[in-house]
């Protein structure tokens, strides 16, 4: 198949899923065209069968807001036509779904029919999408897509509740590539960060309010009262300075390290003992899956789709959003007994294996075929 993928090329989970899916499809022999404004972060080396088309938005003094969506639509029309794409798969509804629908309409006037699949990732529904300034366009473009997937059952239900769409949505969960995410021997690194064999707690995110990183720091503040421990914070974003301030106020600067954005996050996860995800809302929790693949138990909130991944009492614990006290108690329970910790680590890995990329990518492939057949296009 000749597949067009539209996504955010940055570090966000939706861009990661889109890029890893595209790379996996390319390895399975499909031609995959990424159409974005910047080279996707994880498209970091040449892979056979992958192509990158940059969307350029020309600047004109009249534009206070450069019209990215219009430029994207024009580029989609161009790429679909000249690369003879069979299907367009857009990740994150805003503005990718409406752009693809508009491109499909333009192409139809030229007798070219391109099916559009929209994958919903989370905040495109739960935070941004339901905002009245976006909601009518989001609903229209979801309803008009030829196929729609969501990354969890929880997000599927949220889409019905918040956006009131009237169509079927297929759940295809996030996935993990074990050739990259698995526990690696990084003893020297562990020694450097935790010279006195401190327990290593880790959190990775894009440092947005929705991640409740202050809760992660407060949970850690309780842990460090009862055992030697360090907290590694990976990622960057608007909340970083607030969190740094909180660490200073709690006199925890010597125990907390801000590592910023990291490309080889699996190397760091490999030396850690526990992952924290106290998010306000989380459609799936890809960062937790990456941690579990590296054998980390997860203390998380029970928001959104996290319970579809983290099994409370087995792979970690689910707690109410904001319940720092219980999160800390459960973390200490897991960390204070070495055998128990090993048991949770093994269970986390076993659960992660249920989301192996090799199991999930064929589900996307089958869905492409189903949508192509529904649109009366030959499934190639
Ligand atoms: O908020 C983020 O972490 C980024 C966001 C995105 O769309 O880039 O992530 C969402 O998509 C991921 C991949 O499907 C999910 O695993 C995350 O749970 C989801 N984030 C939220 O729902 C807050």
């Amino acid at each position: 198949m000749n597949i067009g993928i539209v996504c955010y090329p940055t570090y966000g989970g939706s861009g990661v899923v889109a890029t890893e899916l595209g790379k996996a499809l390319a390895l399975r022999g499909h031609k995959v065209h990424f159409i974005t404004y910047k080279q996707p972060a994880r498209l970091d080396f040449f892979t056979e069968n992958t192509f990158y088309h940059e969307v350029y938005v020309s600047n004109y003094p009249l534009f206070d807001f450069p019209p990215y969506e219009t430029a994207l639509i024009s580029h989609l029309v161009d790429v679909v036509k000249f690369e003879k794409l069979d299907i367009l798969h857009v990740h994150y509804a805003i503005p990718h779904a409406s752009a693809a629908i508009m491109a499909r309409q333009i192409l139809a006037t030229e007798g070219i029919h391109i099916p559009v699949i929209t994958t919903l990732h989370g905040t495109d529904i739960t935070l941004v999408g339901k905002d009245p300034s976006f909601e009518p366009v989001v609903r229209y473009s979801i309803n008009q897509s030829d196929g729609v997937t969501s990354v969890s059952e929880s997000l599927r239900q949220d889409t019905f509740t918040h956006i009131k769409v009237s169509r079927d949505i297929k759940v295809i969960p996030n996935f993990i590539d074990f050739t990259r995410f698995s526990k690696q021997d990084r003893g020297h690194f562990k020694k450097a960060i935790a010279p006195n064999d401190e327990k290593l707690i880790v959190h990775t995110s894009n440092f947005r309010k929705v991640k409740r990183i202050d809760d992660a720091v407060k949970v850690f503040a309780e842990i460090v009262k009862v055992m030697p421990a360090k907290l590694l914070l990976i990622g960057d974003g608007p909340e970083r300075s607030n969190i740094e301030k909180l660490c200073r106020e709690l006199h925890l600067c010597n125990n907390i390290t801000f590592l910023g954005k990291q490309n080889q996050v699996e190397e760091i996860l490999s030396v850690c003992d526990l992952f924290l995800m106290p998010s306000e809302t989380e459609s799936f929790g890809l960062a937790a899956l990456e941690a579990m693949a590296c054998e980390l138990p997860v203390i998380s909130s029970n928001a959104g789709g996290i319970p579809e991944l983290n099994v409370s009492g087995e792979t970690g614990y689910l707690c109410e959003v904001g319940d720092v006290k219980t999160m800390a108690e459960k973390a200490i329970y897991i960390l204070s007994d070495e055998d128990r910790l090993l048991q949770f680590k093994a269970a986390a890995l076993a659960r992660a294996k249920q989301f192996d990329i090799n199991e999930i990518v064929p589900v996307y492939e089958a869905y492409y075929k189903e949508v192509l057949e529904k649109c009366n296009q030959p499934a190639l």
Side-chain angles (χ1 to χ4, degrees):
M1 258 183 250
N2 234 353
I3 303 158
I5 289 187
V6 180
C7 64
Y8 282 102
T10 48
Y11 281 79
S14 61
V16 168
V17 169
T19 313
E20 295 296 344
L21 172 63
K23 283 173 15 185
L25 288 165
L27 281 176
R28 293 168 73 90
H30 302 287
K31 298 228 177 306
V32 180
H33 297 260
F34 289 94
I35 306 141
T36 66
Y37 60 81
K38 204 167 83 183
Q39 178 135 341
R42 291 229 182 153
L43 200 65
D44 44 5
F45 54 89
F46 175 75
T47 321
E48 206 186 340
N49 289 336
T50 61
F51 307 90
Y52 164 57
H53 307 264
E54 184 164 315
V55 180
Y56 174 73
V57 191
S58 62
N59 217 348
Y60 184 65
L62 192 63
F63 300 151
D64 270 347
F65 304 98
Y68 172 65
E69 190 170 349
T70 307
L72 174 62
I73 295 165
S74 298
H75 218 73
L76 288 177
V77 169
D78 189 65
V79 175
V80 169
K81 224 191 297 185
F82 292 101
E83 300 292 348
K84 300 195 173 20
L85 298 192
D86 300 305
I87 202 153
L88 264 184
H89 186 180
V90 303
H91 293 258
Y92 204 90
I94 306 166
H96 300 148
S98 47
I101 297 302
M102 182 70 171
R104 187 184 67 186
Q105 271 169 236
I106 295 170
L107 287 158
T109 65
E110 300 182 30
I112 297 169
H113 299 284
I114 181 85
V116 170
I117 293 181
T118 298
T119 288
L120 308 171
H121 280 274
T123 51
D124 47 352
I125 299 298
T126 55
L127 277 184
V128 198
K130 68 179 185 187
D131 188 286
S133 59
F134 292 113
E135 196 255 4
V137 177
V138 172
R139 185 188 313 119
Y140 178 79
S141 42
I142 290 174
N143 279 335
Q144 288 295 312
S145 296
D146 298 289
V148 177
T149 77
S150 74
V151 299
S152 64
E153 178 57 33
S154 153
L155 181 59
R156 180 174 174 270
Q157 291 306 329
D158 281 343
T159 309
F160 294 134
T161 309
H162 298 310
I163 313 289
K164 310 238 170 340
V165 297
S166 50
R167 60 155 311 127
D168 53 314
I169 297 174
K170 183 172 176 64
V171 175
I172 306 183
N174 286 174
F175 50 81
I176 192 80
D177 182 354
F178 281 93
T179 59
R180 177 174 168 188
F181 283 92
S182 52
K183 198 172 173 69
Q184 302 169 4
D185 184 14
R186 290 286 181 276
H188 58 289
F189 182 46
K190 170 122 192 175
K191 266 230 143 2
I193 311 182
N196 302 312
D197 216 20
E198 294 93 336
K199 287 281 179 268
L200 283 178
I201 325 295
V202 60
H203 167 85
T204 71
S205 75
N206 50 15
F207 276 57
R208 306 207 173 251
K209 256 204 158 26
V210 68
K211 302 294 175 181
R212 295 185 71 103
I213 308 169
D214 49 340
D215 282 359
V217 170
K218 288 174 195 163
V219 169
F220 176 71
E222 295 305 312
I223 298 173
V224 83
K225 279 180 194 163
V226 296
M227 64 181 76
K230 300 228 164 173
L231 175 64
L232 304 180
L233 294 173
I234 304 174
D236 214 330
E239 279 297 288
R240 168 122 176 214
S241 57
N242 286 338
I243 301 304
E244 282 175 346
K245 199 162 152 251
L246 178 65
C247 295
R248 283 177 215 138
E249 281 164 12
L250 296 174
H251 306 290
L252 286 171
C253 295
N254 289 337
N255 301 74
I256 299 180
T257 307
F258 289 80
L259 291 170
K261 287 178 182 168
Q262 292 285 333
N263 283 329
Q264 305 303 122
V265 70
E266 65 279 13
E267 295 189 354
I268 303 165
L269 293 172
S270 288
V271 300
C272 292
D273 297 292
L274 188 82
F275 188 81
L276 298 177
M277 178 174 267
S279 304
E280 179 86 36
T281 154
E282 198 71 61
S283 67
F284 179 87
L286 179 61
L289 175 57
E290 291 178 345
M292 288 162 75
C294 295
E295 302 180 29
L296 297 190
V298 174
I299 299 291
S300 69
S301 68
N302 57 6
I306 306 177
E308 293 171 50
L309 171 67
N310 191 15
V311 185
S312 208
E314 242 180 69
T315 62
Y317 282 97
L318 294 164
C319 310
E320 293 295 323
V321 174
D323 186 355
V324 169
K325 188 171 168 283
T326 309
M327 288 183 193
E329 278 168 14
K330 298 298 186 191
I332 291 164
Y333 173 75
I334 293 177
L335 292 170
S336 55
D337 181 297
E338 211 50 43
D339 287 342
R340 190 184 296 141
L341 176 58
L342 285 175
Q343 206 177 319
F344 272 88
K345 284 184 173 187
L349 174 62
R351 178 77 181 135
K353 284 190 174 155
Q354 293 174 10
F355 299 90
D356 190 321
I357 190 169
N358 297 314
E359 304 293 324
I360 308 294
V361 171
V363 181
Y364 273 112
E365 251 176 339
Y367 190 60
Y368 290 170
K369 286 192 183 135
E370 186 187 320
V371 170
L372 278 167
E373 273 158 24
K374 198 179 72 188
C375 296
N376 292 323
Q377 313 270 38
L380 305 165

